[in-house]
Amino acid sequence: NNWQDIYKSFKRFRQCDDGAIAEGYAESIVRMLAHKWNQLNILIKLASEDKDFYAFVIRHINATADKAEIEMIICNSSNRCPKSAAKICSEIKNTSKEALKEIGD
């Protein structure tokens, strides 16, 4: 997956965002933020053009995701954030911390 593919799917199928499909979106979004942080600029561009997509991304950082990947997102958003993206990184980090609390130990 990449951000463009996730965005295309969101535009086409967002009305189907429930159950297993929602979990699949969460898995894709969390994987991107954990393992492809270097593509954050693409997410930032898409999010600036479509606030609904940005809300969709944030909503899918949740407790259905892998704990280790959530921890990677917290690390990425804390240590690898471009200065110009401080607000987005803060929201991603805070949402990830909430998801981690829900996952528990």
Side-chain angles (χ1 to χ4, degrees):
N1 284 336
N2 60 53
W3 287 118
Q4 293 91 341
D5 288 343
I6 293 170
Y7 183 68
K8 286 177 194 170
S9 181
F10 161 78
K11 292 302 275 186
R12 188 164 179 203
F13 300 111
R14 66 177 147 196
Q15 71 280 2
C16 302
D17 186 21
D18 195 14
I21 293 171
E23 287 182 23
Y25 278 127
E27 183 180 331
S28 295
I29 288 166
V30 166
R31 188 180 315 118
M32 287 295 298
L33 293 169
H35 300 287
K36 297 184 180 181
W37 187 261
N38 61 329
Q39 295 182 25
L40 182 68
N41 61 323
I42 299 167
L43 171 61
I44 292 168
K45 182 178 184 313
L46 292 169
S48 70
E49 296 169 355
D50 189 334
K51 300 299 182 200
D52 290 338
F53 178 65
Y54 179 65
F56 173 83
V57 168
I58 294 298
R59 186 173 64 249
H60 286 86
I61 303 170
N62 60 45
T64 65
D66 180 76
K67 181 179 179 182
E69 289 182 329
I70 294 287
E71 291 169 342
M72 289 174 72
I73 294 171
I74 293 169
C75 183
N76 286 338
S77 59
S78 297
N79 302 316
R80 298 177 63 200
C81 184
K83 289 188 191 302
S84 62
K87 183 176 186 240
I88 287 176
C89 290
S90 177
E91 291 174 340
I92 290 170
K93 178 172 56 176
N94 291 338
T95 303
S96 298
K97 286 181 176 181
E98 288 299 317
L100 198 57
K101 283 180 192 174
E102 288 181 36
I103 292 170
D105 292 325

